[in-house]
Structures are given as C-alpha cells and as structure tokens.
C-alpha cells in the first residue's frame, strides 16, 4: 500500500476484482459440494423446513448465526476447564483444503496469472495454512466462514433448538452453500482484534507452524505417499519450550483452474476413488485429481515424543477410510487427550484407552523432563568418541548444526543430547528443525543448536564457526575457523567407554537373545517396553555419572556463605591436559546456572549421584569396578521384572538420602471416555472418585502423593480450585518434591477476590506456609489493569472517549506513555474530544500494515541491521533514485536503499549526518515532473541524494524530519531513549497518514494539522532542544528516563549511589537507587544504567533513601513507613512503623551503627541499625516542616524550612540558624549541607545560596543566581552544586564562593541530587521532565 497524502484510487479496483474471484470460487464450491452441504444443513434447520433445499434468503445466515450464538451463550458458564497438566495443550491442523484452495509458495516460480495453472501443481511448492486449532475449550477454523464451532465441546445436558448431533456433524465448511452476507461495520471490526481465544500459545507461535510442519516445502502429489511423522520443538518468547509431533497424511481432491487466472480451487473427494463426480462433462478437462498434504500437530508441555506418535498412529486407519471425517475425528480425539493428565515424578503411570491401552509414564525426578525417546539412537549413528566430541561441543557452547535428509531423525537425536547434558540446560537459540525459508538463521551470531536438511550441506559448510553433525554419514565436522576444541577429560572419557560396554547388553535385541518369546503380543510388547525403559535409565545414569566425574569436587571450591566459587583453585586442581576444557566450560552460561544451583545448595539428582559416587570412592577407592557393581545391582537389566523406583521423603531437603528401591510401579487406569459428556465435569468427577478410593486404600507414601497430585489437578479441571489446593497442601506429609508451584501460582492468581477471601478462611490454608507465601508473592500492586479488548468492547456505531482510547492503545501495545497517547488522540480527533469508531479501525489497520511491511526487508539485510540494533520504520514503494531502481528504507539510525532484483543495499546517509532536506519537482523527458526529495549531507564531499518518491514525498519528508530531530536531540542531551521515542513517533505518524487515505477517517480532512500534532521532536528541535551550551555538553555524560517502562512519568524524589566494582562477575557492582513518586524504588546498574530491580512495597511516594551498614537501603515513604531493603536480594521484608507522619529524611552516624529518621511533624527517631531497636525519640517543638536532617560531629542538624536547629542526641536544642535577608525578612530554607566546616543553605523561593560557620553560625558568604529557588545541594571535590526549581544547576567554588557556571539540566525542578564516588554528580527531576542526568564532576569550564 503506497503512502500518500491523497486517496488511493487503485484499492477500489483491486477490491472489485477480488470480489469477482470470490464469487466464482463460491459457485464452484457450491456446485462440487451441494450434496454434502445439504446434509449438513439439516441440523441447522427447523423441523418444518424442507431439508432438501438449501436456504436462499439472505436472512437464513443470520438466523443460523443467532441460533448458534444462543447455543454458545448457554455453554458459556459450563465450559470444560483446562487441566493444568494435560497430556496435550492443543491440536493444530496445517495444510490446504477446499477453504484455502491451492496457493503457490512465495518462493515458487509458477503463478496462476501467468498461465502456469494446473500444469505446475506437482512441480512447485505450495503455501500451507493453519486450518484448525482445537483445544479442550474451543474448535477454531481460521480459514472458514464459520470460524468457531458453536457445539464444541459436546455437552449433552444443554438444551438448545439444535440437536446434539449437530456438534458431531459440524465442519468448518458447513456454511459454504449459504449466500454471502454484506460486510457490515461489525464484520469489519473483527479484523482489528480477533476474539480472545483460550489457547495456551500466542498467535505468532501458531502461525509459525506451517513451515515447521513442512520444513522441506509442501508439495501436492499425483499418487498417495506414505504417512510420515516428525517432531519439532517450539520456544516461546519467555523461553518456555513445548514439544510437537506432526503426522503428515494426504487427502484426495480434484483441482480446478478458476477463470481468468483467479486461482486453483479444491473440491474434496468423498473417498479414495479415482473418479470425480461432475455435473457438467464439459468441465472434465479443467479438473485434475491430486493428493493434498495435511499435517496434524499435537503440542505438549512435556517431550512425550513416542507416546504422541502412538496417539497419532491410531488416527491413520480411520482417516484413510473416511478422510472427510477429519475434523470430526480430531475434535473427539483432541478433547480426550486434553483430559488425560501427566503424572508427577514417582511410581504412578497413567493408562488410557485410545484404540489400545496407552501409558503416560512419569518423569524420573521432579527436576527432569520425562524420558520418552530412544536414548541409544546416537550410539547407532556415531562412535562413542564422536558422541563425547559432540558433548564437549555443547558444553563449550559451540554453534552446532545437525544435518539429515530425514527431518524425523533430527529432533530425536538433538533431544537425546539435551538429555545427556542434564543437569546442564542449553540456554541459547534452539531450533531442531530449520525450514528451507529460514536457513539464514544459521548465519546469525551467537551460540545455537539447529537442525536442517543435509541437502544444504555444501552451503552450510561455508558458514564460519560451525560444528556440523552429519547424521546420514555419521560424521562430526568442525569448521577451520573454530579454535581448537578441547575434549572431555581423559579419565572421565575412559571410564564412560568402559561402563558403556557393560550396560550395552541391556539393549532389547541383545537382552532377548537368551529369553523365550512371550505367549502373547501384548506380553511381548510390555516386556520390550520394560527393558527399553530400563536401558534408557541406564543411559541417563551413565551420562550423569560422566558429568559427576568431570565436575567432581566442585562443591569443595564453593563458599555458600559468601556465594563465591574459587575458580582458579578449581582449575589448578585439574590435570594439565584437561585444563583447556575446564577454562572454556567455566566461562559458559551453562556452567553459570550449574554453579548457581551449587551455591544455592540445591538437592537434586546430580547431588544424589555425586554423594553416591563419593561414598563408593571412599569405601572402595573409587574403582570403576565398584561403581559398575552399583549400577548392576540397581539396574533393571539384571532383574527386569522389578522396576526401579526412587523413593522420596517428605521434604525436598531429604531428597539426597533416597536410594534405589525395589518398589513396583503402579498404573492408574483412566475411565472410559464417552461422548457426548453429560456435564462438563462428568469425566473429571469419575477420575476424582476413583482416585479417592485409591488414596484410602494405598499405604505407600510415594504412591499416595502421586494420587493426591492427580486428584488436585482434576479438581482444578472441575472448577474446584480450593479443593485442589487442599490436596496439594496434603503433599507436605507425603512428598513435597512434586509440589506444583507453577500451577498453584496460576490458580491463586486466577481466583476472584471473594474466592481468595474464602481461601484465607480455610483451615488447610492457615496451616500451609507454602500456599501463604505463594499467595503473598502474587499480590503486587499495579498502577493500572488493562482490560481485555474484544470486538464487542467497541461500539458498533458512535464514539470512543479518550479514557477508552487509552485502554485500547495500551492493550494493543501501540503506545504506553499517556502523553504520547494523548497526542495521537488529538491528531485523530482534531481536538474535538472524541473519536468515531471507524477512524480508530482505520488507524489500527494502518499500524498493523506497517508492521507487516517491515517483514519484507531481505533476510541478509536484517542480519546486518540486527547486529547494529536497528529498527526498520518505513519501506517505500518502488522508486527511482541516484542509486537506481529500488526501495528507500528508514531506520532509527540511517537511510539506506534496497536495489531491486537483489539483496544488495547501499547506505544513503546516517541521520546525524543530515544537513537539510529539500522538496522539489524533478524534471524528465518522458515524465514531465515528479515530486522528489533531496537529502544533503554535512560532508561537503558527499553529493546530495535524490529520490523520486512521487505521492509519498510529503510523508517521507515528515517522517525523516521527525527521526532526524530525535537523533539530534538524543546526541545533544546524551539520552539514547530519545531515539526510541522518536522511532515510536515515526511509526505513529506513518499510521496516521496511512489511515487518512480512507475518506471516512475524521483526520483525513485536516491531515496537515494531525501530522503536526505528532511531530513532537521536530517541534522540540525548533524550540532549541537540540542545542546545549558548551559548558553543559562538556560535563553531561548520560541521561535516561527511569519511568520509561511506565505509562506516566513520575518525580525522582531521592537517589543514592551504592559503590561497587565495575565489571565484577558477581553482584558486587555499582548501583543507582531511585525513589519514585509512584512509590517504587528502582535499582539501576551503576555502569550502564540498565534497570535491575523494582521494589514496590510502599503504598505512597518514597521520598528519602539512605545506605545503612553497606548491606541495607532504608527507604522512607509518605505512608509513614520505613522499608528496609536488602541490597543483594532486593527484598523489603522488614519495616519500621514508629513514625506518625511522612518520613522526610534519614541519616546515620560515622560507622552506621545508629540511624536517625525524621518525619514532617518534627519527630526524630534514633535506631540501633543492628537490632532495629528504637533507642530514643526526639520531638522538635513548633514545626510541621522537618524536611531534612544531618548527623555531624555527635549532633543532629534539623532543617524545618523556617530555620535549622542544632540538637544533641538527647534532644536538647543547642542553637538555631535563620536566614534573614537585607530587609529583615526570614527566608525559606529548602536545602542544606555541611561541608568543610561550613553550613551551606539554599533558599526555596529565591536564587540565594549562603554559607555559615559551623561553630558560630555566622554568615560568611551569600551568592545570588537568577532562578525561582534552590531545591537541592551537594558538595563534590570542593565545589557546590545547587539544583534550582527551574531545572538548572549552578556551581560555586567551595573555598572562595565564586560562581562558576550554569548547566542546563532538566525541564522541571531538580528534586534529587547525589554524588557517585566524587567522580560523578547525578540529578533527578520532577514529573514534567522525570529524567535522571549523570554529570562529570571533574573538568569544568568557567
């Protein structure tokens, strides 16, 4: 879409053409499916209707919609709740069907409009789409006219005008024979924000599935291929991984070329016959039979690869016989699997019937993922030495790529290695399946593990710094540019090889050589599974023991009290030939997390193995024979009839004492699953009753714990969260190690206020310390709660008030800052105070369009820009320029030009180097004139750049000017955040200009004024913000906004700087603490000023901070409370509440043994900082304005604004100091400090700074500056820094009192002032500015 200041007349023509194609396709769909469509419509019609004739009146569609809506409303309060530990989270169907037709892939060379048509469908890749997303609550069909199945899930108890059988007969294409409705305002509004769907994954992850389902491209076949399965791993933004297994099956369709190159239409064949039913024989030459791929994806939160493969395999026979029942089968299939729980770590497995009895095995340990994969697969492809080499590459964080021609092999192999390295966890990019269109990811910087097709082997081999693991050839190839890779320590490697030779006999094929075959297939299958699981456990134990040997004695070099790991001592204790390996590993992120667990004294499976190995080495000299004997005695291989289960004590701390046991595993059989359900809770209630009976009869604590865990989950699924929490509370008497912290947090957080109050009254809650801690931890006050935006939240007609507009903007994350949102509102409304709904829709669509446009930038360009942290803001249409034909691109850093037909680009100019912009009309021979833009550089040697932007010229001129102004202001003010804010303004400006192309938009009639409303930084630049005095520029180091992550700027009330060691590996680095007017205390890294923590315990403004004893920060608040914050954990678990008024200031004596806290009412409390005992209270007379106190040489100096009072520690007033001007009028003292035996005071209503002798209190000097008043004072290196209420800083020489210079600091009063180690001065401003500025305390100009 071209951006211009005028209406785009081509859009209407395009819309007309599209509508014609849609009508043709609808006619073809109706003709090919009339018989099936009529049968489906029977359930939607009333009893007196004729079932043989489809509805013809336009009102029929609305009637059916109303009936479906009533059915959905009747189910709204009885939906099946999500089981927190369900086996699968959802089922997604990806592919092509009669709703989507066939679309050639964007990388395909064939196009229907070129006449390639049907002849190319078997040779060119197709573009798959998401056809269905099914959870236990919703069946969603995004490509269908009826997107949400109103009868899912099937509940028989609900009485509706429709038959319950309608749910079973519902298909996403059921409405295709109905006449289309005219698109109304309501239908248009649905494009803004889809209805909130209760899916556990965001839309972005779901939309990423099509290429993962067909990583080698999606092709239509002439004959039916074999069904194929492969697995993928999905990673969310937060880093949480989900695991998916994909079944690719094929359905037969007839394909037809639509007239006029309108696309390829699909008509589903009712069975796998080779004939096509046609009503018109003349069309036979236009139709062709083909097999279209469909991928069914099951997504789980645990890596149950084998189990999900077995589940999907049960679908194949039915889909082959009746492919048209795909969605009906999947809805029942998905609903059942979402109601099957994952058992906790322990002896209990879950059995359920899905054609045959399938088993959900538990994880071996609460901290480990489940092992449901063939762990010895890598040993079939690689030698033991190669496996150890790959393991070393992972531990040293290399860039690793796994290659194979079969994608089904890649993920299981990589997952095996992820199991091998436990307890280490890979924290970097992890993409086991990289599809063809995303192979550029291999060239991205940083560590990663990826997998792709071996067809790209030669190209991948050219990438530097890679380790290629070829699964087809069984080779490990290290790039020449990779520095010498160290090997696994020799002793550990040799021990591993020896023990692997001992356990390899546990492989099923070897173990069964001497055993007779079981009498039945089921018995043989059970025996095979038991032996395989035992072999898997032996492999995991073998690798865990390897890591224990490699990192043995790590705990001996850890000081848990000081949280220090003695790295050099640890290295010196290793063998010389192994030190290079340890040097690389010890600096990795993998080892960092491992080290943190050891520092936290975590009791996990690694600790168990370490203690067991250490005990054997002490008793038996550490011989491999002893360790091997232990493995044999505890292995299932020697006694396959006795499963090995780890018993657990009642506490996590006792976990390390658990030893292998001969206790047998227990199977819990799920009740039969029958549809339709009588009530949403019916199936869960059956499970709860059965578990309740088992709990009463079982005597084994670990089995009982698993039953309690499962029953608690089922109760949550039943909508009985309090009963579920009661069962979880009971785990503390059986096995606390399986306590579901995450699920409990989510449940408590989701409780309503009445439910929480009811929970707090429960007896089990009063006894459950864990539940109380979780409940308290989840309670955090928030400034605002953004409501969920549904299409129905917007009025169909009418206006949107500013408050509602703010909520929509913040929810959609278009803007957060209230000032920015107000400017957008004024721009769209012409400051008339309200916004019509349609204008907001146009604006939102334009914003989304610009977001999608940035994705069109070539991948190689993105690789370079991302390395420089650039953001693409605007992409032009095809234009002519001095660099040729291509597209102009604006980023937050520069302008560059993309040359058409290639991925090459040329830099036009850096924004900071722009000298001026010029609009003019370029003259050509053919084209008489064209609006163009000329960009001049500050470098005289660079010629101006000319771009013929035509209708887009004015828009580009505005956008470039705004971004250029933001860059200039950022450089002048030393504030990098201004660049981000200017980039956001540019995006908003672009959306406003784009949306004005719709003539119905309110601001289309005054676009110039609307655009100027958002040219915020252009306006600031014209006001001189981009220019600062030389004195200010030479001293100013950095500026930032501490409220950048909040909707509104707040005052910086107070600041302190806690020193540390810059560049320290541990937490001993400098920090800047900011007390905010919002009541939060924000902690920033003292070297890069990155936000590290927020403490929001206070109920009102925090106005003073003080470092006490080096390990605490005391924060005084308007709520009369002093919060004591630990500088390491950032927790405020202690409070002092003895003040009766606002806490105004805090100070300490020389050694911080005593603290003195003041409140406005004149109360001064004296505290013992060690015991936090109140030692004394001093009450000053006749004051309610005690704003500041200082401890100096055994006395306390108290500033009450009217005077400064000197009192001793017993509260006896010794002297008073008043500032009387020449006319004898007392001056208001706003701030004072004591430096060099002088008292310096600043007047609050005049620009007067005075100094007084500390002993006699006689005035020595008085200096006047041009300002409204002095708000803060600080002394650094013999100079007095005075912050004024106009935002300026005035400096004086401390000895002579000479005025030095003025610095332009803020746009609001200086409200906070502190120094950092006599090297820097830091200032904070009022809410109108709200920024923090860092100044160099050294060189100053007079």
């Amino acid at each position: 879409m071209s951006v211009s200041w005028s209406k785009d007349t081509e859009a209407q023509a395009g819309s007309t053409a599209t509508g014609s194609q849609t009508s043709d396709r609808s006619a073809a769909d109706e003709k090919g499916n009339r018989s099936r469509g009529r049968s489906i419509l029977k359930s939607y019609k009333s009893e007196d209707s004729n079932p043989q004739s489809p509805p013809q009146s336009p009102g029929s569609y609305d009637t059916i919609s109303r009936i479906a809506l009533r059915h959905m409303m009747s189910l709204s309060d009885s939906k099946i709740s999500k089981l927190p530990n369900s086996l699968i989270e959802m089922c997604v169907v990806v592919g092509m069907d009669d709703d989507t037709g066939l679309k050639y892939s964007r990388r395909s060379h064939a196009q229907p409009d070129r006449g390639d048509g049907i002849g190319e469908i078997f040779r060119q890749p197709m573009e798959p789409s998401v056809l269905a997303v099914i959870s236990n609550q919703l069946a969603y069909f995004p490509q269908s006219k009826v997107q949400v199945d109103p009868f899912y899930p099937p509940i028989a108890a609900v009485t509706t005008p429709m038959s319950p059988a309608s749910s079973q007969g519902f298909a996403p294409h059921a409405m295709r024979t109905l006449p289309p409705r005219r698109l109304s305002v309501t239908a248009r509004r649905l494009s803004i924000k889809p209805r909130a769907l209760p899916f556990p994954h965001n839309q972005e992850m779901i939309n990423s599935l099509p290429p993962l389902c067909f990583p080698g491209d999606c092709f239509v076949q002439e004959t039916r291929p074999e069904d194929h399965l492969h697995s993928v791993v999905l990673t969310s933004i937060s880093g949480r991984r989900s695991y998916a297994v994909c079944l690719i099956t094929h359905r037969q369709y007839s394909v037809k070329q639509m007239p006029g190159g309108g696309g390829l239409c699909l008509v589903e064949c009712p069975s796998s016959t080779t004939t096509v039913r046609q009503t018109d024989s003349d069309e036979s030459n236009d139709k062709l039979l083909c097999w279209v791929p469909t991928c069914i994806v099951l997504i789980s939160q645990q890596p149950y690869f084998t189990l999900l493969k077995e589940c999907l395999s049960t679908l194949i026979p039915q889909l082959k016989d009746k492919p048209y029942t795909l969605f009906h089968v999947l809805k029942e299939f998905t609903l059942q699997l979402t109601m099957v729980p994952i058992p906790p770590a322990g002896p209990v497995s879950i059995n359920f019937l899905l054609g045959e009895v399938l088993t959900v095995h538990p994880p071996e340990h609460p901290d480990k993922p489940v092992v449901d994969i063939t762990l010895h697969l890598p040993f079939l492809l690689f030698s033991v030495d190669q496996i150890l080499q790959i393991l070393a590459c992972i531990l040293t964080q290399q860039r690793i790529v796994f290659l194979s021609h079969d994608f089904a092999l890649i993920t299981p192999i990589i997952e095996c290695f992820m199991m091998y390295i436990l307890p280490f966890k890979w924290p970097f990019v992890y993409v086991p399946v990289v599809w063809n269109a995303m192979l550029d990811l291999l060239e991205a910087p940083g560590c990663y593990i990826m997998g792709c097709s071996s067809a790209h082997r030669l190209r991948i081999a050219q990438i530097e710094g890679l380790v290629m693991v070829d699964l087809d050839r069984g080779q490990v190839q290290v790039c020449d540019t990779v520095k010498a890779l160290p090997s696994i320590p020799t002793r550990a490697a040799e021990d591993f090889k020896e023990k692997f030779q001992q356990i390899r006999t546990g492989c099923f094929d070897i173990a069964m050589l001497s055993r007779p075959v079981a009498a039945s297939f089921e018995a043989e299958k059970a025996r095979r599974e038991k032996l395989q699981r035992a072999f898997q456990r032996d492999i995991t134990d073998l690798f865990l023991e390897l890591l224990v040997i490699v990192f043995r004695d790590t705990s001996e070099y850890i000081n848990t009290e000081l949280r220090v790991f003695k790295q050099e001592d640890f290295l010196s204790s290793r063998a010389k030939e192994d030190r290079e390996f340890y040097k690389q590993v010890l600096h990795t992120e993998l080892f960092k997390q491992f080290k943190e667990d050891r520092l936290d004294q975590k009791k996990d499976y690694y600790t168990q193995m370490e203690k067991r190995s250490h005990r054997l080495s002490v008793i038996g000299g550490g011989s491999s024979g002893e360790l091997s004997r232990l493995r044999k005695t505890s292995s299932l291989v020697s006694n396959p009839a006795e499963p090995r289960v780890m018993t657990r004590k009642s506490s996590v701390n006792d976990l390390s004492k658990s030893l292998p046991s001969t206790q047998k595993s227990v199977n819990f059989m799920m009740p039969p699953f029958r549809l339709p359900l009588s009530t949403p809770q019916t199936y869960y209630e059956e499970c709860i009753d059965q578990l309740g009976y088992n709990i009463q009869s079982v005597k084994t604590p670990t089995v009982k714990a698993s039953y309690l865990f499962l029953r608690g989950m089922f109760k949550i699924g039943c909508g009985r969260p309090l009963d579920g929490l009661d069962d979880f509370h009971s785990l503390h008497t059986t096995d606390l190690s399986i306590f579901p912290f995450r699920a409990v947090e989510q449940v408590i957080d989701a409780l309503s206020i009445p439910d929480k109050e009811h929970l707090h009254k429960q007896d089990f809650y009063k006894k459950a310390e864990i539940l109380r801690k979780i409940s308290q931890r989840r309670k955090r006050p928030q400034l605002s709660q953004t409501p969920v935006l549904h299409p129905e939240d917007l009025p169909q007609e009418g206006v949107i008030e500013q408050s509602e507009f703010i909520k929509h903007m913040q929810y959609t994350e278009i803007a957060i800052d209230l000032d920015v949102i107000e400017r957008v509102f004024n721009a769209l409304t012409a400051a008339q105070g309200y916004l019509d709904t349609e204008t907001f829709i146009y604006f939102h669509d334009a914003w989304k369009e610009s977001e999608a446009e940035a994705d069109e930038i070539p991948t190689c360009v993105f690789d370079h820009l991302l390395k420089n942290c650039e953001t693409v803001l605007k992409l032009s249409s095809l234009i002519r320029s001095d660099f040729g034909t291509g597209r102009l691109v604006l980023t937050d850093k520069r302008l560059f030009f993309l040359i058409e037909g290639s991925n090459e680009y040329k830099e036009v100019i850096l924004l900071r180097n722009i000298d001026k912009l010029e609009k003019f009309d370029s003259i050509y021979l053919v084209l008489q004139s064209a609006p163009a833009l000329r960009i001049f550089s500050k470098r005289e040697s660079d010629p101006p750049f000319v771009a013929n932007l035509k209708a887009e010229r004015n828009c580009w001129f505005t956008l470039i000017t705004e971004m250029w102004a933001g860059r200039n202001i950022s450089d002048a003010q030393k504030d990098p955040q201004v660049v981000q804010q200017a980039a956001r303004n540019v995006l908003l400006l672009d959306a406003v200009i784009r949306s004005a192309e719709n003539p119905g938009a309110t601001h289309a009639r005054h676009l110039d004024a609307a655009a100027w409303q958002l040219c915020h930084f252009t306006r600031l630049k014209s006001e001189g913000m981009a220019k600062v005095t030389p004195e200010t520029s030479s001293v100013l180091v950095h500026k930032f906004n501490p409220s950048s992550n909040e909707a509104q700027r707040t005052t910086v009330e107070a600041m302190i700087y806690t020193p540390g060691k810059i560049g320290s590996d541990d937490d001993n680095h400098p920090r800047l603490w900011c007390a905010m007017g919002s009541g939060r205390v924000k902690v920033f890294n003292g070297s890069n000023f990155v936000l590290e923590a927020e403490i929001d315990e206070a109920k009102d403004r925090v106005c003073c901070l003080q470092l006490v004893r080096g390990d605490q920060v005391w924060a005084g608040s308007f709520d009369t409370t002093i919060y004591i914050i630990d500088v390491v954990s950032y927790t405020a678990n202690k409070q002092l509440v003895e003040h009766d008024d606002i806490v105004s200031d805090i100070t300490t004596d020389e050694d911080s043994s005593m603290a003195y806290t003041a409140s406005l009412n004149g109360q001064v409390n004296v505290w013992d900082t060690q015991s936090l005992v109140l030692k004394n209270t001093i009450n000053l007379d006749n004051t309610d304005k005690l704003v500041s106190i200082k401890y100096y040489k055994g006395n306390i100096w108290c500033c009450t604004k009217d005077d400064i009072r000197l009192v001793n520690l017993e509260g006896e007033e010794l002297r008073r100091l008043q500032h009387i001007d020449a006319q004898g009028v007392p001056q208001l003292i706003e701030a004072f400090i004591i430096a060099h035996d002088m008292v310096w005071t600043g007047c609050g209503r005049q620009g007067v700074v005075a100094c007084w002798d500390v002993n006699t209190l006689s005035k020595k000097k008085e200096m006047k500056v041009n300002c409204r008043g002095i708000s803060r004072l600080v002394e650094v290196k013999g100079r007095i820094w005075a912050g004024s209420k106009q935002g300026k800083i005035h400096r004086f020489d401390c000895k002579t009192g000479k005025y030095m210079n003025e610095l332009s600091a803020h746009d609001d009063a200086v409200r906070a002032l502190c120094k950092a180690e006599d090297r820097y001065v830091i200032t904070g401003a009022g809410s109108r500015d709200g920024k923090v500025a860092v100044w160099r305390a050294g060189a100053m100009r007079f």
Side-chain angles (χ1 to χ4, degrees), residues 1131-1277:
T1131 56
N1133 296 326
K1134 301 176 182 177
Q1135 300 176 6
L1136 304 178
V1137 294
E1138 277 70 15
H1139 279 284
D1140 301 325
D1141 202 350
I1142 294 173
V1143 180
S1144 55
D1145 202 5
I1146 305 172
T1147 188
T1148 62
D1149 57 13
E1150 294 87 348
D1151 59 359
S1152 287
S1153 61
M1154 304 297 291
Y1156 305 88
T1157 60
S1159 53
L1160 286 182
N1161 61 356
Q1163 179 183 355
V1164 178
N1165 287 340
V1166 184
W1167 304 89
D1168 185 298
T1169 58
Q1170 181 68 33
S1171 62
L1172 300 182
V1173 173
L1174 180 63
K1175 294 295 185 180
N1176 189 21
T1177 298
I1178 301 172
N1179 292 298
L1180 302 185
D1181 298 330
N1182 303 321
T1183 182
D1184 59 355
K1185 293 176 290 188
L1186 178 56
V1187 295
S1188 179
I1189 61 173
K1190 297 286 186 294
Y1191 177 89
Y1192 185 74
K1193 292 185 178 181
N1195 293 320
I1196 305 175
W1197 296 70
C1198 307
C1199 177
T1200 66
K1201 286 197 174 183
D1202 296 325
D1203 53 36
I1204 296 177
R1205 305 181 189 183
L1206 176 61
V1207 299
N1208 59 24
L1209 300 184
E1210 286 73 32
E1212 179 184 357
E1213 182 177 327
L1214 304 179
R1215 272 175 289 178
R1216 287 195 186 192
L1217 183 153
Q1218 283 187 304
H1219 190 159
I1220 308 297
D1221 63 8
Q1223 288 74 31
V1225 178
Q1227 295 296 307
L1228 191 69
I1229 301 176
E1230 187 78 20
F1232 85 103
I1233 59 172
I1234 303 175
H1236 302 286
D1237 291 330
M1238 303 290 288
V1239 179
W1240 293 79
T1241 60
C1243 295
R1245 295 177 182 171
Q1246 294 184 11
V1248 177
V1249 176
C1251 64
W1252 316 73
D1253 186 276
V1254 73
N1255 297 315
T1256 63
L1257 299 185
S1258 59
K1259 186 188 297 185
K1260 297 297 183 180
K1261 303 181 184 67
E1262 183 175 290
M1263 292 74 68
K1264 295 184 179 180
V1265 293
N1266 185 19
C1267 68
R1268 296 200 319 266
I1270 304 298
S1271 55
R1272 292 291 183 270
L1273 294 170
V1274 71
E1275 183 273 335
V1276 183
K1277 288 188 175 181

Side-chain angles (χ1 to χ4, degrees), residues 137-179:
Q137 300 178 0
L138 197 67
Y140 176 61
F141 305 94
Q143 309 299 329
S144 167
K145 290 182 179 178
V146 182
Q147 294 187 338
V148 179
D149 183 351
F151 306 102
Y152 181 87
I155 308 297
V158 179
T159 303
T160 68
M162 304 184 192
S163 168
S166 302
S167 173
Q168 300 177 10
F170 179 85
H173 47 264
M175 297 293 188
R176 68 162 52 90
T177 58
L178 298 175

Side-chain angles (χ1 to χ4, degrees), residues 747-762:
V747 169
I748 293 179
D749 193 40
L751 291 176
S752 63
I753 295 179
D755 287 340
K756 287 183 180 180
E757 294 176 351
H758 187 56
L759 171 64
H760 296 163
K761 297 177 182 178
Q762 301 298 309

Side-chain angles (χ1 to χ4, degrees), residues 144-326:
S144 167
K145 290 182 179 178
V146 182
Q147 294 187 338
V148 179
D149 183 351
F151 306 102
Y152 181 87
I155 308 297
V158 179
T159 303
T160 68
M162 304 184 192
S163 168
S166 302
S167 173
Q168 300 177 10
F170 179 85
H173 47 264
M175 297 293 188
R176 68 162 52 90
T177 58
L178 298 175
R181 291 190 300 174
R182 182 177 62 86
L183 290 180
S184 62
V185 174
T186 304
R188 175 69 178 83
R189 183 171 298 114
L190 294 178
S191 64
I192 298 179
K193 182 73 179 175
R195 181 170 165 273
L197 304 179
F199 294 138
H201 293 288
N202 55 30
Q203 193 68 31
E204 180 184 1
M205 183 173 290
I206 295 175
N207 291 337
S208 69
L209 284 174
L212 289 172
C213 294
F214 303 98
D217 288 332
C218 180
F219 290 91
V220 173
Q221 305 293 336
E222 295 185 73
T223 60
R224 177 166 188 161
E226 290 292 328
D227 294 326
H228 180 77
L229 290 109
H230 69 278
S231 52
V232 297
V233 179
L234 308 172
T235 305
S236 67
I237 298 175
S238 63
R240 186 171 68 93
R241 292 176 185 172
S242 297
Y243 305 87
V245 177
C246 309
L247 167 64
I248 299 178
T249 186
H250 289 73
R251 294 183 289 170
Q252 193 176 41
Y253 286 87
S254 62
V255 58
K256 177 182 178 181
Q257 175 74 58
M258 298 300 294
L264 301 175
C265 174
L266 289 176
V267 178
E268 186 177 6
C269 298
S271 62
S272 56
T273 60
T274 56
T275 62
V276 181
R277 293 178 296 173
Q278 302 183 62
T279 58
D280 190 349
S281 60
D282 295 338
E283 297 180 356
S284 60
N285 294 331
D286 297 332
K287 292 187 177 182
L288 181 69
L289 288 179
C290 62
W291 292 91
V292 177
T294 300
C295 185
I296 304 170
V297 187
L298 296 183
I299 302 176
S300 176
Q301 54 188 328
Q302 288 288 339
Y304 282 101
F305 294 112
T306 303
L307 177 60
L308 296 184
K309 178 181 177 181
E310 293 175 349
C311 294
L312 287 170
S313 299
T314 63
L315 295 173
I316 295 176
Q318 188 170 358
L319 295 182
K320 282 187 177 180
D321 295 338
K322 299 178 180 179
Y324 54 86
T325 63
L326 171 67

Side-chain angles (χ1 to χ4, degrees), residues 98 264 341 880 925 1071 1077 1147:
D98 38 359
L264 301 175
R880 184 178 186 271
L925 294 175
R1071 295 180 177 89
T1147 188

